[in-house]
Amino acid sequence: MNNIKGYIYAAASSSTFGLAPFFTISLLASGFSSFEVLAYRWGIASLTLGIFGVLLRETFRISRKDWGTVFILSLLRAATSLSLVIAYQHIASGVASTIHFMYPLAVALAMIFFFREKKSFSILFAVLISLAGAALLSSGEIDFKGGNTTTGLIAATLSVFFYGGYIVGVRKSRAIHIPSTALTCYVMGLGALFFIIGGSLTGGIQLATGGQTWLNILGLALPATAISNITLVKAIKYIGPTLTSIFGALEPLTAVAIGCLVFKESFTPGTGLGILLILTAVTVVIMHEKKTS
């Protein structure tokens, strides 16, 4: 029974996170800047997660030494979100999400080169087929409404390394001793502050009005951010990180489906093969980590 609950939570986490491009692009199309979209997203999500933590009587107390680590992690997490939003503005959201899903490869390579983990043929194989998949994705018609394809691909690739750095930082720094709810809440809260400052320096933060706008904001902040993170923690509790990570494949698949159905993004056999290669590469890395663990 617990396994079934875990599968449900994992599927809910990955699929709700895959909704992020839909709400993000909708807000961008209505005139919001990248900073404004992310300020609302992380601000409301951190507030929601804080309330959730209080109701569950989670502790939010951390030491002074931990704040430096939290600050650096929040910079990496904020950079991840900003680069992804930039990617959504220039290339198909499904392609951007699929490229971002390569972050387990970045984590595996960082652990090999910087933390002297044993090199593996599986990792090398995964890197090669993921690069082949990325090449297939970039060779097709992936631009979004006349965006700059090169800019979009660079932004999506940077999101891989920023998020990979965030995960490695959580694993290999003082953050590993910080309660998960507190860490996520503080990272999101600081991220919201960064985006508010960025928005203030580049035209200001407009007050959101209108029912449709708030539906998009709440959809981005709650299902695609807060609920996704909460169900992720529950999934790991029931079925472990490996199976939960494999279910993460629903994230780019959801984004691809929404992109094709809602935003009329093109989907070619080459695109499908590229996505399949990247999902295979990530699965190989995840199973390799399980084996070595």
Side-chain angles (χ1 to χ4, degrees), residues 139-251:
S139 63
E141 296 181 3
I142 63 171
D143 61 305
F144 179 70
K145 293 183 179 178
N148 188 305
T149 301
T150 302
T151 299
L153 289 173
I154 291 174
T157 302
L158 286 175
S159 78
V160 174
F161 292 101
F162 286 138
Y163 195 54
Y166 172 77
I167 292 176
V168 172
V170 170
R171 288 185 182 180
K172 295 294 183 179
S173 70
R174 297 178 59 88
I176 197 171
H177 302 296
I178 302 175
S180 298
T181 302
L183 176 64
T184 307
C185 185
Y186 290 141
V187 165
M188 288 182 177
L190 285 173
L193 179 60
F194 297 151
F195 294 129
I196 290 172
I197 294 173
S200 300
L201 296 175
T202 57
I205 302 291
Q206 61 178 302
L207 181 63
T209 57
Q212 186 62 43
T213 299
W214 272 107
L215 282 176
N216 287 324
I217 289 174
L218 293 177
L220 181 61
L222 299 181
T225 306
I227 292 176
S228 180
N229 278 279
I230 292 170
T231 51
L232 176 67
V233 172
K234 288 184 174 293
I236 292 173
K237 176 181 177 181
Y238 284 116
I239 61 175
T242 300
L243 285 176
T244 301
S245 298
I246 292 175
F247 268 86
L250 290 175
E251 295 173 13

Side-chain angles (χ1 to χ4, degrees), residues 19-27 29 92-94 143-145 255-266:
L19 295 172
F22 170 75
F23 296 115
T24 298
I25 294 172
S26 298
L27 288 170
S93 59
D143 61 305
F144 179 70
K145 293 183 179 178
V256 168
I258 290 175
C260 293
L261 296 174
V262 179
F263 300 113
K264 308 302 179 184
E265 297 172 356
S266 62

Side-chain angles (χ1 to χ4, degrees), residues 66-90:
D66 290 334
W67 278 109
T69 300
V70 170
F71 180 79
I72 294 173
L73 291 176
S74 64
L75 285 176
L76 289 169
R77 194 67 182 86
T80 302
S81 294
L82 182 59
S83 55
L84 259 181
V85 171
I86 293 173
Y88 293 151
Q89 292 174 298
H90 292 282

